[in-house]
Amino acid sequence: MGLYEKLKRASFSLNDKTNLLQNGYIISEMPLWTKLHQRHGYPAMGLSRGQFLEILYEALPHSQETVRTGCRVVDLQITANGVTAVLQDGRTEEASIVIGSDGVWSKTKEALQQLNTELDTEMFSTRINFQGLYGKAPAMSGVKPGTFYETRSNGIATQVVGSEGTMLFSLIQTVDTSTPVPRKYTLEDREAMASRFAEVQVAPGVRFKDVWRIAERETATMVNQEEGYAANWHHGRLVIVGDAAHKMTSISGLGLNTGLHSAAVLVNQLHDIHRLNKDPPAFLIEDAFATYYNIRQSETYSAFRLGQSLTRNVTWSSWADWIWDRFIMPWLNQDYIICDRISPLVSRGQLLSYVPFQELKGVVPWQSQSKERY
Protein backbone atom coordinates (compact mmCIF):
# COMPACT_ATOMS: atom_id res chain seq x y z
CA MET A 1 0.00 0.00 0.00
CA GLY A 2 3.07 2.24 0.17
CA LEU A 3 2.41 3.41 3.73
CA TYR A 4 5.14 1.61 5.66
CA GLU A 5 7.67 4.46 5.65
CA LYS A 6 5.01 7.04 6.52
CA LEU A 7 3.78 4.93 9.44
CA LYS A 8 7.33 4.39 10.58
CA ARG A 9 8.03 8.15 10.59
CA ALA A 10 4.83 8.89 12.52
CA SER A 11 5.43 6.21 15.16
CA PHE A 12 7.92 5.63 17.92
CA SER A 13 9.89 2.47 18.57
CA LEU A 14 8.90 -0.20 21.05
CA ASN A 15 11.74 -2.18 22.60
CA ASP A 16 11.11 -3.59 26.06
CA LYS A 17 8.22 -4.60 28.31
CA THR A 18 8.20 -4.02 32.06
CA ASN A 19 5.57 -5.61 34.32
CA LEU A 20 5.05 -4.04 37.72
CA LEU A 21 2.75 -3.83 40.72
CA GLN A 22 0.77 -0.72 41.61
CA ASN A 23 3.41 0.22 44.23
CA GLY A 24 6.05 0.38 41.48
CA TYR A 25 7.73 -2.93 42.28
CA ILE A 26 9.04 -4.52 39.07
CA ILE A 27 8.14 -8.20 38.77
CA SER A 28 9.58 -8.91 35.31
CA GLU A 29 11.30 -7.29 32.34
CA MET A 30 11.89 -8.59 28.83
CA PRO A 31 13.15 -7.24 25.47
CA LEU A 32 9.87 -8.29 23.88
CA TRP A 33 9.68 -6.07 20.80
CA THR A 34 13.44 -6.04 20.23
CA LYS A 35 13.39 -9.82 19.93
CA LEU A 36 10.29 -9.81 17.73
CA HIS A 37 12.05 -7.32 15.45
CA GLN A 38 15.03 -9.65 15.20
CA ARG A 39 12.85 -12.67 14.56
CA HIS A 40 10.53 -11.16 11.95
CA GLY A 41 12.39 -8.26 10.37
CA TYR A 42 9.86 -5.53 11.15
CA PRO A 43 9.99 -3.15 14.14
CA ALA A 44 7.03 -2.68 16.45
CA MET A 45 5.58 0.78 15.84
CA GLY A 46 3.84 2.71 18.58
CA LEU A 47 1.16 5.19 17.54
CA SER A 48 -2.41 5.98 18.50
CA ARG A 49 -5.35 4.52 16.63
CA GLY A 50 -6.32 8.07 15.64
CA GLN A 51 -2.94 8.63 13.97
CA PHE A 52 -3.26 5.31 12.16
CA LEU A 53 -6.72 6.14 10.85
CA GLU A 54 -5.58 9.59 9.74
CA ILE A 55 -2.74 8.10 7.68
CA LEU A 56 -5.08 5.58 6.06
CA TYR A 57 -7.65 8.28 5.32
CA GLU A 58 -5.13 10.64 3.73
CA ALA A 59 -3.84 7.82 1.50
CA LEU A 60 -7.31 6.89 0.24
CA PRO A 61 -7.97 8.26 -3.26
CA HIS A 62 -10.81 10.82 -3.27
CA SER A 63 -11.25 10.28 0.48
CA GLN A 64 -13.58 13.25 0.95
CA GLU A 65 -15.97 11.86 -1.64
CA THR A 66 -15.73 8.18 -0.72
CA VAL A 67 -15.84 8.49 3.10
CA ARG A 68 -19.03 9.98 4.51
CA THR A 69 -19.36 10.69 8.21
CA GLY A 70 -22.51 11.24 10.24
CA CYS A 71 -24.39 8.65 8.16
CA ARG A 72 -25.66 6.12 10.67
CA VAL A 73 -27.16 3.00 9.09
CA VAL A 74 -30.53 2.14 10.60
CA ASP A 75 -31.57 -0.72 8.32
CA LEU A 76 -30.16 -3.08 5.70
CA GLN A 77 -32.56 -4.44 3.09
CA ILE A 78 -31.60 -7.38 0.89
CA THR A 79 -32.68 -7.08 -2.73
CA ALA A 80 -32.45 -9.50 -5.66
CA ASN A 81 -29.11 -8.12 -6.85
CA GLY A 82 -27.69 -6.26 -3.90
CA VAL A 83 -28.27 -4.51 -0.59
CA THR A 84 -29.98 -1.23 0.26
CA ALA A 85 -28.62 0.66 3.27
CA VAL A 86 -31.14 3.00 4.89
CA LEU A 87 -29.50 5.95 6.64
CA GLN A 88 -30.74 7.79 9.69
CA ASP A 89 -31.57 10.90 7.66
CA GLY A 90 -33.81 8.87 5.34
CA ARG A 91 -31.43 8.61 2.40
CA THR A 92 -30.54 5.24 0.91
CA GLU A 93 -27.40 3.75 -0.60
CA GLU A 94 -27.35 0.83 -3.06
CA ALA A 95 -24.50 -1.68 -3.04
CA SER A 96 -23.72 -5.17 -4.32
CA ILE A 97 -22.38 -6.22 -0.89
CA VAL A 98 -22.10 -4.78 2.61
CA ILE A 99 -18.95 -5.31 4.69
CA GLY A 100 -19.83 -4.53 8.28
CA SER A 101 -16.72 -3.22 10.02
CA ASP A 102 -19.08 -1.27 12.25
CA GLY A 103 -17.94 -2.37 15.67
CA VAL A 104 -19.28 -4.50 18.47
CA TRP A 105 -22.80 -3.01 18.22
CA SER A 106 -22.82 -3.76 14.52
CA LYS A 107 -25.96 -3.07 12.49
CA THR A 108 -24.70 -5.62 9.98
CA LYS A 109 -24.42 -8.27 12.68
CA GLU A 110 -27.94 -7.41 13.79
CA ALA A 111 -29.15 -7.94 10.21
CA LEU A 112 -27.35 -11.30 10.09
CA GLN A 113 -29.15 -12.32 13.28
CA GLN A 114 -32.52 -11.44 11.73
CA LEU A 115 -31.69 -13.46 8.61
CA ASN A 116 -30.51 -16.45 10.64
CA THR A 117 -33.04 -16.67 13.44
CA GLU A 118 -32.49 -20.42 13.71
CA LEU A 119 -28.77 -19.98 14.47
CA ASP A 120 -26.94 -18.81 17.57
CA THR A 121 -25.32 -15.70 16.12
CA GLU A 122 -22.90 -15.22 19.00
CA MET A 123 -20.69 -18.02 20.27
CA PHE A 124 -19.92 -15.75 23.21
CA SER A 125 -22.62 -13.11 23.62
CA THR A 126 -21.40 -9.56 24.13
CA ARG A 127 -20.49 -8.79 27.75
CA ILE A 128 -19.19 -5.69 29.46
CA ASN A 129 -16.88 -6.75 32.28
CA PHE A 130 -14.33 -3.96 31.85
CA GLN A 131 -14.09 -0.22 31.18
CA GLY A 132 -11.16 1.65 29.67
CA LEU A 133 -9.74 5.17 29.74
CA TYR A 134 -7.27 6.17 27.02
CA GLY A 135 -5.28 9.30 26.40
CA LYS A 136 -1.94 10.93 25.80
CA ALA A 137 0.31 13.32 27.67
CA PRO A 138 3.69 14.98 27.19
CA ALA A 139 6.68 12.78 27.93
CA MET A 140 7.88 12.85 31.50
CA SER A 141 10.90 11.60 33.40
CA GLY A 142 10.52 8.09 34.73
CA VAL A 143 8.87 6.79 31.55
CA LYS A 144 11.72 5.45 29.43
CA PRO A 145 11.14 5.94 25.69
CA GLY A 146 10.49 2.64 23.95
CA THR A 147 9.53 0.75 27.11
CA PHE A 148 6.00 -0.58 27.49
CA TYR A 149 4.94 -0.51 31.16
CA GLU A 150 2.09 -2.69 32.39
CA THR A 151 0.83 -2.40 35.98
CA ARG A 152 -1.47 -5.01 37.46
CA SER A 153 -3.57 -5.24 40.59
CA ASN A 154 -6.92 -6.42 41.90
CA GLY A 155 -9.58 -5.21 39.46
CA ILE A 156 -7.34 -2.76 37.59
CA ALA A 157 -4.50 -2.60 35.10
CA THR A 158 -2.59 0.16 33.31
CA GLN A 159 -0.46 0.31 30.17
CA VAL A 160 1.87 3.21 29.37
CA VAL A 161 4.40 3.69 26.57
CA GLY A 162 6.35 6.77 25.65
CA SER A 163 8.60 8.40 23.10
CA GLU A 164 10.91 11.39 23.41
CA GLY A 165 7.97 13.81 23.24
CA THR A 166 4.73 11.98 23.97
CA MET A 167 3.36 9.11 26.00
CA LEU A 168 0.17 7.12 25.57
CA PHE A 169 -1.74 5.62 28.48
CA SER A 170 -4.53 3.11 28.92
CA LEU A 171 -6.40 2.24 32.10
CA ILE A 172 -8.76 -0.69 32.55
CA GLN A 173 -11.03 -1.57 35.45
CA THR A 174 -13.51 -4.34 36.11
CA VAL A 175 -17.21 -3.52 36.26
CA ASP A 176 -20.36 -5.49 36.92
CA THR A 177 -22.76 -4.82 34.04
CA SER A 178 -25.60 -7.28 33.77
CA THR A 179 -27.23 -5.61 30.73
CA PRO A 180 -24.66 -4.68 28.06
CA VAL A 181 -25.68 -1.53 26.19
CA PRO A 182 -23.61 1.09 24.36
CA ARG A 183 -22.89 4.16 26.45
CA LYS A 184 -21.10 7.47 26.08
CA TYR A 185 -19.18 8.65 29.12
CA THR A 186 -18.91 12.24 30.35
CA LEU A 187 -15.99 14.34 31.54
CA GLU A 188 -17.17 13.65 35.10
CA ASP A 189 -17.03 9.90 34.43
CA ARG A 190 -13.47 10.22 33.11
CA GLU A 191 -12.41 12.25 36.14
CA ALA A 192 -13.96 9.69 38.50
CA MET A 193 -12.12 6.81 36.84
CA ALA A 194 -8.84 8.74 36.80
CA SER A 195 -9.18 9.48 40.53
CA ARG A 196 -9.44 5.75 41.28
CA PHE A 197 -6.02 5.28 39.65
CA ALA A 198 -4.42 8.39 41.15
CA GLU A 199 -1.89 6.60 43.38
CA VAL A 200 -1.21 3.71 41.01
CA GLN A 201 2.37 3.74 39.72
CA VAL A 202 2.19 3.35 35.94
CA ALA A 203 5.99 3.23 35.80
CA PRO A 204 8.44 2.96 38.71
CA GLY A 205 8.08 6.18 40.69
CA VAL A 206 5.45 7.65 38.33
CA ARG A 207 1.92 7.90 39.75
CA PHE A 208 -1.02 8.23 37.42
CA LYS A 209 -2.16 11.45 39.10
CA ASP A 210 1.05 13.06 37.80
CA VAL A 211 0.30 11.82 34.28
CA TRP A 212 -3.33 12.94 34.46
CA ARG A 213 -2.34 16.39 35.64
CA ILE A 214 -0.53 17.09 32.34
CA ALA A 215 -2.66 14.86 30.09
CA GLU A 216 -4.72 16.18 27.18
CA ARG A 217 -7.98 15.63 29.03
CA GLU A 218 -10.20 17.00 26.29
CA THR A 219 -9.09 14.19 23.95
CA ALA A 220 -9.05 11.42 26.55
CA THR A 221 -11.68 8.76 25.91
CA MET A 222 -13.57 6.48 28.28
CA VAL A 223 -15.28 3.44 26.77
CA ASN A 224 -16.76 0.10 27.63
CA GLN A 225 -14.38 -2.77 26.97
CA GLU A 226 -16.82 -5.27 25.51
CA GLU A 227 -16.02 -8.90 24.76
CA GLY A 228 -17.93 -11.04 22.28
CA TYR A 229 -17.45 -13.55 19.48
CA ALA A 230 -19.92 -14.00 16.65
CA ALA A 231 -20.55 -17.53 15.43
CA ASN A 232 -22.04 -16.36 12.12
CA TRP A 233 -20.03 -13.90 10.03
CA HIS A 234 -21.87 -13.86 6.73
CA HIS A 235 -25.12 -14.47 4.90
CA GLY A 236 -25.87 -13.78 1.26
CA ARG A 237 -24.34 -10.40 0.45
CA LEU A 238 -23.63 -9.40 4.06
CA VAL A 239 -20.37 -10.04 5.90
CA ILE A 240 -18.79 -8.72 9.11
CA VAL A 241 -15.16 -8.13 10.01
CA GLY A 242 -13.12 -6.85 12.96
CA ASP A 243 -14.85 -5.99 16.24
CA ALA A 244 -18.23 -6.87 14.74
CA ALA A 245 -17.03 -10.48 14.49
CA HIS A 246 -14.58 -10.78 17.38
CA LYS A 247 -14.40 -8.12 20.10
CA MET A 248 -11.63 -8.19 22.72
CA THR A 249 -10.37 -5.80 25.35
CA SER A 250 -7.31 -3.69 24.61
CA ILE A 251 -5.05 -5.50 27.09
CA SER A 252 -3.76 -8.13 24.67
CA GLY A 253 -3.27 -5.70 21.77
CA LEU A 254 -4.82 -8.34 19.52
CA GLY A 255 -8.14 -6.68 18.68
CA LEU A 256 -7.16 -4.20 15.97
CA ASN A 257 -4.36 -6.42 14.68
CA THR A 258 -6.64 -9.44 14.37
CA GLY A 259 -9.24 -7.34 12.57
CA LEU A 260 -6.67 -6.05 10.06
CA HIS A 261 -5.54 -9.57 9.22
CA SER A 262 -9.15 -10.70 8.82
CA ALA A 263 -9.79 -7.75 6.49
CA ALA A 264 -6.78 -8.74 4.39
CA VAL A 265 -8.13 -12.26 3.91
CA LEU A 266 -11.59 -10.95 3.04
CA VAL A 267 -10.41 -8.50 0.38
CA ASN A 268 -8.08 -11.14 -1.08
CA GLN A 269 -11.10 -13.37 -1.66
CA LEU A 270 -13.12 -10.53 -3.15
CA HIS A 271 -10.23 -9.53 -5.40
CA ASP A 272 -9.96 -13.08 -6.72
CA ILE A 273 -13.61 -13.36 -7.70
CA HIS A 274 -13.70 -9.83 -9.12
CA ARG A 275 -10.79 -10.74 -11.36
CA LEU A 276 -12.88 -13.60 -12.76
CA ASN A 277 -16.15 -11.71 -12.99
CA LYS A 278 -16.61 -7.94 -12.70
CA ASP A 279 -20.21 -8.50 -11.60
CA PRO A 280 -19.98 -11.76 -9.65
CA PRO A 281 -23.18 -13.71 -9.00
CA ALA A 282 -24.43 -14.31 -5.47
CA PHE A 283 -23.03 -17.84 -5.21
CA LEU A 284 -19.46 -16.63 -5.92
CA ILE A 285 -19.81 -13.91 -3.30
CA GLU A 286 -21.08 -16.42 -0.75
CA ASP A 287 -18.20 -18.77 -1.58
CA ALA A 288 -15.71 -15.94 -1.04
CA PHE A 289 -17.29 -15.06 2.32
CA ALA A 290 -17.27 -18.72 3.38
CA THR A 291 -13.59 -19.10 2.46
CA TYR A 292 -12.75 -15.97 4.43
CA TYR A 293 -14.55 -17.36 7.48
CA ASN A 294 -12.92 -20.78 7.18
CA ILE A 295 -9.43 -19.26 6.97
CA ARG A 296 -9.87 -16.88 9.89
CA GLN A 297 -12.23 -18.59 12.34
CA SER A 298 -9.71 -20.76 14.18
CA GLU A 299 -7.06 -18.10 14.68
CA THR A 300 -9.49 -15.33 15.65
CA TYR A 301 -11.17 -17.60 18.16
CA SER A 302 -7.80 -18.48 19.69
CA ALA A 303 -6.91 -14.78 19.86
CA PHE A 304 -10.28 -14.01 21.46
CA ARG A 305 -9.80 -16.65 24.15
CA LEU A 306 -6.21 -15.52 24.74
CA GLY A 307 -7.44 -11.95 25.13
CA GLN A 308 -10.03 -13.06 27.68
CA SER A 309 -7.37 -14.91 29.64
CA LEU A 310 -4.77 -12.12 29.59
CA THR A 311 -7.28 -9.48 30.67
CA ARG A 312 -8.35 -11.56 33.65
CA ASN A 313 -4.77 -12.49 34.51
CA VAL A 314 -3.56 -8.88 34.85
CA THR A 315 -6.67 -7.71 36.72
CA TRP A 316 -6.43 -10.70 39.11
CA SER A 317 -10.02 -11.72 38.49
CA SER A 318 -9.60 -14.91 40.50
CA TRP A 319 -7.13 -16.58 42.84
CA ALA A 320 -5.88 -18.66 39.91
CA ASP A 321 -5.33 -15.52 37.81
CA TRP A 322 -3.42 -13.87 40.67
CA ILE A 323 -1.15 -16.87 41.21
CA TRP A 324 -0.48 -17.23 37.48
CA ASP A 325 0.26 -13.54 36.89
CA ARG A 326 2.07 -12.77 40.12
CA PHE A 327 4.21 -15.87 40.59
CA ILE A 328 4.22 -18.22 37.59
CA MET A 329 4.54 -15.81 34.64
CA PRO A 330 7.58 -13.95 36.08
CA TRP A 331 9.44 -17.25 36.38
CA LEU A 332 8.67 -18.53 32.90
CA ASN A 333 11.50 -18.58 30.40
CA GLN A 334 11.33 -15.39 28.32
CA ASP A 335 12.21 -17.26 25.14
CA TYR A 336 9.19 -19.50 25.71
CA ILE A 337 6.87 -16.49 25.98
CA ILE A 338 8.31 -14.75 22.92
CA CYS A 339 9.19 -17.69 20.68
CA ASP A 340 6.43 -20.17 21.51
CA ARG A 341 3.43 -17.96 22.28
CA ILE A 342 3.83 -14.62 20.45
CA SER A 343 6.14 -15.26 17.51
CA PRO A 344 3.91 -17.92 15.86
CA LEU A 345 1.04 -15.40 15.74
CA VAL A 346 3.30 -12.90 13.99
CA SER A 347 4.70 -15.42 11.49
CA ARG A 348 1.16 -16.35 10.40
CA GLY A 349 0.40 -12.74 9.48
CA GLN A 350 -1.91 -12.29 6.48
CA LEU A 351 -0.94 -10.41 3.34
CA LEU A 352 -2.71 -8.50 0.61
CA SER A 353 -1.91 -11.06 -2.06
CA TYR A 354 -2.25 -8.63 -4.97
CA VAL A 355 -0.16 -5.73 -3.60
CA PRO A 356 3.57 -5.84 -4.49
CA PHE A 357 6.02 -4.92 -1.76
CA GLN A 358 9.63 -5.32 -0.69
CA GLU A 359 9.62 -7.88 2.09
CA LEU A 360 11.79 -7.55 5.19
CA LYS A 361 12.99 -10.79 6.72
CA GLY A 362 14.12 -11.93 10.12
CA VAL A 363 15.28 -15.33 11.31
CA VAL A 364 11.72 -16.74 11.29
CA PRO A 365 10.17 -17.33 7.84
CA TRP A 366 6.73 -15.96 7.03
CA GLN A 367 4.06 -18.63 6.61
CA SER A 368 1.86 -16.61 4.23
CA GLN A 369 3.09 -16.20 0.69
CA SER A 370 2.23 -13.22 -1.51
CA LYS A 371 2.01 -13.64 -5.26
CA GLU A 372 3.41 -10.14 -5.72
CA ARG A 373 6.54 -10.05 -3.59
CA TYR A 374 9.71 -8.94 -5.34
Side-chain angles (χ1 to χ4, degrees):
M1 296 172 65
L3 299 178
Y4 175 70
E5 292 300 329
K6 189 169 186 178
L7 284 167
K8 193 173 179 180
R9 289 193 299 270
S11 65
F12 52 87
S13 63
L14 288 169
N15 305 312
D16 312 308
K17 185 170 189 284
T18 297
N19 296 323
L20 61 154
L21 303 179
Q22 65 173 337
N23 62 3
Y25 176 77
I26 295 174
I27 57 177
S28 65
E29 297 175 287
M30 69 175 75
L32 174 60
W33 285 280
T34 298
K35 285 202 170 187
L36 289 175
H37 186 183
Q38 294 167 352
R39 290 178 65 81
H40 301 286
Y42 288 90
M45 295 184 283
L47 73 167
S48 69
R49 186 172 297 196
Q51 289 175 291
F52 181 61
L53 288 174
E54 183 178 4
I55 291 171
L56 291 178
Y57 176 78
E58 290 176 348
L60 187 68
H62 312 295
S63 56
Q64 293 186 355
E65 292 79 28
T66 54
V67 176
R68 293 170 54 188
T69 60
C71 298
R72 183 167 175 259
V73 175
V74 295
D75 191 25
L76 292 170
Q77 300 171 354
I78 311 301
T79 64
N81 298 307
V83 185
T84 299
V86 181
L87 307 182
Q88 193 173 30
D89 61 7
R91 290 179 295 171
T92 60
E93 293 286 340
E94 305 292 332
S96 59
I97 62 172
V98 168
I99 300 173
S101 57
D102 45 348
V104 65
W105 305 108
S106 167
K107 195 67 183 179
T108 318
K109 182 166 64 175
E110 181 181 317
L112 288 175
Q113 184 175 7
Q114 294 170 353
L115 291 167
N116 293 279
T117 54
E118 73 280 5
L119 296 177
D120 290 329
T121 56
E122 290 193 287
M123 192 177 298
F124 285 90
S125 59
T126 302
R127 294 285 183 268
I128 301 173
N129 296 310
F130 303 93
Q131 291 171 331
L133 178 64
Y134 311 95
K136 62 181 180 179
M140 59 189 302
S141 61
V143 178
K144 180 183 175 183
T147 297
F148 186 95
Y149 297 93
E150 186 176 76
T151 300
R152 61 260 289 112
S153 189
N154 185 30
I156 63 170
T158 70
Q159 294 177 328
V160 167
V161 62
S163 66
E164 295 295 342
T166 305
M167 59 182 177
L168 305 176
F169 63 84
S170 170
L171 316 180
I172 190 169
Q173 64 182 4
T174 57
V175 293
D176 182 15
T177 305
S178 57
T179 306
V181 292
R183 177 183 172 185
K184 291 186 176 181
Y185 290 94
T186 65
L187 175 61
E188 290 73 23
D189 294 324
R190 298 199 296 271
E191 292 290 346
M193 184 169 178
S195 67
R196 180 185 179 186
F197 286 78
E199 297 300 326
V200 174
Q201 293 195 33
V202 296
V206 179
R207 288 175 169 79
F208 182 70
K209 65 181 180 182
D210 300 320
V211 176
W212 188 243
R213 185 170 58 248
I214 60 174
E216 299 178 13
R217 299 191 189 189
E218 67 280 1
T219 62
T221 303
M222 182 176 176
V223 296
N224 289 330
Q225 288 262 19
E226 303 94 342
E227 297 172 299
Y229 192 93
N232 180 33
W233 294 9
H234 64 91
H235 181 90
R237 294 175 178 270
L238 304 181
V239 65
I240 56 175
V241 69
D243 285 354
H246 37 74
K247 178 65 172 70
M248 313 164 207
T249 75
S250 60
I251 284 291
S252 67
L254 293 173
L256 175 61
N257 286 292
T258 303
L260 288 173
H261 288 284
S262 293
V265 172
L266 176 59
V267 296
N268 284 342
Q269 299 305 312
L270 294 174
H271 178 266
D272 287 345
I273 65 169
H274 189 259
R275 208 166 37 172
L276 297 173
N277 190 327
K278 299 302 181 185
D279 185 20
F283 77 90
L284 280 182
I285 293 172
E286 292 188 49
D287 285 348
F289 290 168
T291 302
Y292 148 68
Y293 173 79
N294 291 334
I295 291 173
R296 292 300 293 159
Q297 193 277 331
S298 177
E299 183 161 296
T300 57
Y301 181 69
S302 296
F304 170 74
R305 294 294 283 172
L306 177 60
Q308 281 188 313
S309 176
L310 289 175
T311 305
R312 285 153 182 79
N313 288 163
V314 299
T315 55
W316 298 352
S317 296
S318 69
W319 281 103
D321 289 313
W322 174 70
I323 292 171
W324 173 263
D325 183 73
R326 181 65 182 84
F327 299 105
I328 299 177
M329 277 294 290
W331 289 101
L332 286 178
N333 184 283
Q334 290 184 6
D335 286 338
Y336 160 75
I337 297 172
I338 297 171
C339 301
D340 293 357
R341 299 196 68 188
I342 301 174
S343 190
L345 286 173
V346 178
S347 67
R348 293 195 297 269
Q350 301 294 328
L351 303 170
L352 292 172
S353 60
Y354 54 93
V355 177
F357 71 102
Q358 179 65 54
E359 177 191 88
L360 300 180
K361 295 182 178 180
V363 297
V364 177
W366 297 102
Q367 295 185 27
S368 297
Q369 296 297 318
S370 170
K371 303 171 186 175
E372 304 292 341
R373 290 180 179 179
Y374 58 85

